[in-house]
Amino acid sequence: MKTFSITDVGKRRSSNQDYVFSSEQPVGNLPNLFIVADGMGGHNAGEYASRYTVEMIEETIRSSTLTEPAAIIEEAVQRANRLLLEEAKENEARSGMGTTVVICCITGNVLVAANVGDSRLYVVNQDITQITKDHSLVEEMVRMGEMDEETARTHPDKHIITRAVGAGPDLTVDFFEVRLKEDDEILMCTDGLTNMVEDMDIRGIMLSQRDVAEQVEHLVSAANDNGGRDNITVVVIQPFTDEVKTC
């Protein structure tokens, strides 16, 4: 396995509300673990929400006695949600904070992914396939046939998400399982990338570079070159290579 990750403040924001965790080594009963979160909330509450949520997910996974990856991740996200709600209740400045989260682990040739919100996971080979489904207002309208994808991409309400860790006590986590092929790569990212760079351009950048560090650096640069209006977090995983590189 070979991986690389970057989180970048972008060109318009003064702070970074994204947070990333990457481990090619086992974390509890999971053989590896990758997490990307994009926080929301004023007065640095979003920055706190993403970091705290990722840390609580990691902590729960490390101590979990469960063995099924999806069950382990579900337990961890639900606990993080409860704890984040308690933190918001106890500190008025953090009231209303929340965060997206996208998580994955790879067992053999099987990818298990989970998401809440609009941070994404893709599988990239000669094509690019979004595995996760955005929990956002415009994406729900697209799914219901009320809006086309081109309109959705530039819609002024596209930042409104319909599901987040910390938004309420009843949280639904979506899970996906993908059987990976030899040339598949995994891309995890916040909307600071996908709002700035089209999917097919993301694919082109990844296919033009085989080194994971160069792929990630070029993706972040492309987002910034196109305006860098938000924080940008990118993780690329090559599951079936031996060399490991992290940042």
Coordinates of all heavy atoms in Angstrom, one line a residue, residues 65-101:
T65 N -14.1 -3.9 20.5 CA -14.0 -5.4 20.5 C -14.8 -6.0 19.3 O -14.7 -7.2 19.1 CB -14.6 -5.9 21.8 OG1 -16.0 -5.5 21.9 CG2 -13.8 -5.4 23.0
L66 N -15.4 -5.2 18.5 CA -16.1 -5.7 17.3 C -15.1 -6.1 16.2 O -13.9 -5.7 16.3 CB -17.0 -4.6 16.7 CG -18.1 -4.1 17.7 CD1 -18.9 -3.0 17.0 CD2 -19.1 -5.2 18.1
T67 N -15.5 -6.9 15.3 CA -14.6 -7.5 14.3 C -15.0 -7.1 12.9 O -14.1 -7.0 12.0 CB -14.5 -9.0 14.4 OG1 -15.8 -9.5 14.3 CG2 -13.9 -9.4 15.7
E68 N -16.2 -6.8 12.6 CA -16.6 -6.4 11.2 C -16.3 -4.9 11.0 O -16.8 -4.1 11.8 CB -18.1 -6.7 11.0 CG -18.5 -8.1 11.0 CD -17.9 -8.9 9.8 OE1 -17.8 -8.2 8.7 OE2 -17.5 -10.0 10.0
P69 N -15.6 -4.6 9.9 CA -15.2 -3.2 9.7 C -16.4 -2.2 9.7 O -16.3 -1.2 10.3 CB -14.6 -3.3 8.3 CG -14.0 -4.6 8.2 CD -15.0 -5.5 8.9
A70 N -17.5 -2.6 9.1 CA -18.6 -1.6 9.0 C -19.2 -1.4 10.4 O -19.6 -0.3 10.8 CB -19.7 -2.1 8.1
A71 N -19.3 -2.5 11.2 CA -19.8 -2.4 12.6 C -18.9 -1.5 13.5 O -19.3 -0.7 14.3 CB -20.0 -3.7 13.2
I72 N -17.6 -1.7 13.3 CA -16.6 -0.9 14.0 C -16.7 0.6 13.7 O -16.7 1.4 14.6 CB -15.1 -1.4 13.7 CG1 -14.9 -2.9 14.2 CG2 -14.1 -0.5 14.3 CD1 -13.7 -3.5 13.7
I73 N -16.8 0.9 12.4 CA -16.9 2.3 12.0 C -18.2 2.9 12.5 O -18.3 4.0 12.9 CB -16.8 2.4 10.5 CG1 -15.3 2.0 10.1 CG2 -17.1 3.8 10.0 CD1 -15.1 1.8 8.6
E74 N -19.3 2.1 12.3 CA -20.6 2.6 12.8 C -20.6 3.0 14.3 O -21.0 4.0 14.7 CB -21.7 1.5 12.5 CG -23.0 1.8 13.1 CD -23.9 2.8 12.3 OE1 -23.6 3.1 11.2 OE2 -24.8 3.4 12.9
E75 N -20.0 2.1 15.1 CA -19.9 2.3 16.5 C -19.1 3.6 16.8 O -19.5 4.4 17.6 CB -19.2 1.1 17.2 CG -18.9 1.3 18.7 CD -18.1 0.1 19.2 OE1 -17.1 -0.2 18.6 OE2 -18.4 -0.4 20.3
A76 N -18.0 3.8 16.1 CA -17.1 4.9 16.3 C -17.8 6.2 15.9 O -17.7 7.2 16.6 CB -15.8 4.7 15.5
V77 N -18.5 6.2 14.8 CA -19.1 7.5 14.3 C -20.3 7.9 15.3 O -20.4 9.0 15.6 CB -19.6 7.4 12.9 CG1 -20.3 8.6 12.4 CG2 -18.4 7.1 11.9
Q78 N -21.0 6.9 15.7 CA -22.2 7.2 16.6 C -21.7 7.7 17.9 O -22.3 8.6 18.5 CB -23.0 5.9 16.8 CG -23.7 5.4 15.5 CD -24.8 6.4 15.0 OE1 -25.2 7.4 15.7 NE2 -25.3 6.2 13.8
R79 N -20.6 7.1 18.4 CA -20.0 7.7 19.7 C -19.5 9.1 19.5 O -19.7 9.9 20.4 CB -18.9 6.7 20.2 CG -18.3 7.3 21.5 CD -17.3 6.3 22.1 NE -16.7 6.8 23.3 CZ -15.4 7.4 23.3 NH1 -14.7 7.5 22.2 NH2 -15.0 7.8 24.5
A80 N -18.8 9.3 18.4 CA -18.3 10.7 18.1 C -19.4 11.7 18.0 O -19.3 12.8 18.5 CB -17.5 10.7 16.8
N81 N -20.5 11.3 17.4 CA -21.7 12.1 17.3 C -22.2 12.5 18.7 O -22.5 13.7 19.0 CB -22.8 11.5 16.5 CG -23.9 12.4 16.2 OD1 -23.8 13.5 15.6 ND2 -25.1 12.0 16.6
R82 N -22.4 11.5 19.5 CA -22.9 11.8 20.9 C -22.0 12.7 21.7 O -22.4 13.7 22.3 CB -23.1 10.5 21.7 CG -24.1 9.6 21.1 CD -24.5 8.4 22.1 NE -23.3 7.6 22.4 CZ -23.0 6.5 21.7 NH1 -23.7 6.2 20.6 NH2 -21.9 5.8 22.0
L83 N -20.7 12.5 21.6 CA -19.7 13.3 22.3 C -19.6 14.7 21.8 O -19.5 15.7 22.5 CB -18.3 12.6 22.3 CG -18.2 11.3 23.0 CD1 -16.8 10.7 22.7 CD2 -18.4 11.5 24.5
L84 N -19.8 14.9 20.5 CA -19.7 16.2 19.9 C -21.0 17.0 20.3 O -20.9 18.2 20.6 CB -19.7 16.1 18.3 CG -19.3 17.4 17.6 CD1 -17.8 17.8 18.0 CD2 -19.4 17.2 16.1
L85 N -22.1 16.3 20.3 CA -23.3 17.0 20.8 C -23.2 17.5 22.3 O -23.6 18.6 22.6 CB -24.5 16.1 20.7 CG -25.0 15.9 19.2 CD1 -26.0 14.7 19.2 CD2 -25.7 17.2 18.7
E86 N -22.5 16.6 23.1 CA -22.3 17.0 24.5 C -21.4 18.2 24.6 O -21.6 19.1 25.4 CB -21.7 15.8 25.3 CG -22.7 14.7 25.5 CD -22.1 13.5 26.1 OE1 -20.9 13.6 26.6 OE2 -22.7 12.4 26.1
E87 N -20.3 18.2 23.8 CA -19.4 19.3 23.7 C -20.1 20.6 23.4 O -19.8 21.7 23.9 CB -18.2 19.0 22.8 CG -17.2 18.0 23.2 CD -16.3 18.6 24.2 OE1 -15.7 19.7 24.0 OE2 -16.1 17.9 25.3
A88 N -20.9 20.5 22.4 CA -21.7 21.7 21.9 C -22.6 22.2 23.0 O -22.8 23.5 23.1 CB -22.4 21.4 20.6
K89 N -23.2 21.3 23.7 CA -24.2 21.7 24.7 C -23.5 22.4 25.9 O -24.0 23.3 26.5 CB -24.9 20.5 25.2 CG -26.1 20.7 26.2 CD -26.8 19.5 26.5 CE -28.0 19.7 27.5 NZ -28.7 18.5 27.8
E90 N -22.2 22.0 26.2 CA -21.5 22.5 27.3 C -20.8 23.8 27.1 O -20.4 24.5 28.0 CB -20.5 21.4 27.8 CG -21.2 20.2 28.4 CD -20.2 19.1 28.7 OE1 -19.0 19.3 28.5 OE2 -20.6 18.0 29.2
N91 N -20.6 24.1 25.8 CA -19.8 25.3 25.4 C -20.6 26.1 24.4 O -20.8 25.7 23.2 CB -18.5 24.9 24.8 CG -17.6 26.1 24.6 OD1 -18.0 27.2 24.3 ND2 -16.3 25.9 24.8
E92 N -21.2 27.2 24.8 CA -22.1 28.0 24.0 C -21.4 28.5 22.7 O -22.0 28.5 21.6 CB -22.6 29.3 24.7 CG -23.6 30.1 24.0 CD -24.1 31.2 24.8 OE1 -23.9 31.3 26.0 OE2 -24.8 32.1 24.2
A93 N -20.1 28.7 22.7 CA -19.4 29.2 21.5 C -19.3 28.1 20.5 O -19.1 28.4 19.3 CB -18.0 29.6 21.9
R94 N -19.5 26.8 20.9 CA -19.5 25.7 19.9 C -20.9 25.2 19.6 O -21.0 24.2 18.9 CB -18.6 24.6 20.5 CG -17.2 25.0 20.7 CD -16.4 23.9 21.4 NE -15.0 24.3 21.5 CZ -14.1 23.9 22.4 NH1 -14.5 23.0 23.3 NH2 -12.9 24.3 22.4
S95 N -21.9 25.9 20.0 CA -23.3 25.5 19.7 C -23.5 25.5 18.2 O -23.1 26.4 17.5 CB -24.3 26.4 20.4 OG -25.6 26.1 20.0
G96 N -24.1 24.4 17.7 CA -24.3 24.3 16.3 C -23.2 23.8 15.4 O -23.3 23.7 14.2
M97 N -22.1 23.5 16.1 CA -20.9 23.0 15.3 C -21.2 21.6 14.7 O -22.0 20.8 15.3 CB -19.6 22.9 16.1 CG -19.6 21.9 17.2 SD -18.1 21.9 18.1 CE -18.5 20.8 19.5
G98 N -20.6 21.2 13.7 CA -20.7 19.9 13.1 C -19.6 19.6 12.1 O -18.8 20.5 11.9
T99 N -19.7 18.4 11.5 CA -18.6 18.1 10.6 C -19.1 17.0 9.6 O -19.9 16.1 10.0 CB -17.3 17.6 11.3 OG1 -16.3 17.4 10.3 CG2 -17.5 16.4 12.1
T100 N -18.6 17.0 8.4 CA -18.7 15.9 7.5 C -17.7 14.9 7.9 O -16.7 15.2 8.6 CB -18.5 16.3 6.0 OG1 -17.1 16.6 5.9 CG2 -19.3 17.5 5.6
V101 N -17.8 13.7 7.4 CA -16.8 12.7 7.6 C -16.9 11.6 6.5 O -18.0 11.2 6.1 CB -16.9 12.0 9.0 CG1 -18.1 11.2 9.2 CG2 -15.6 11.2 9.4

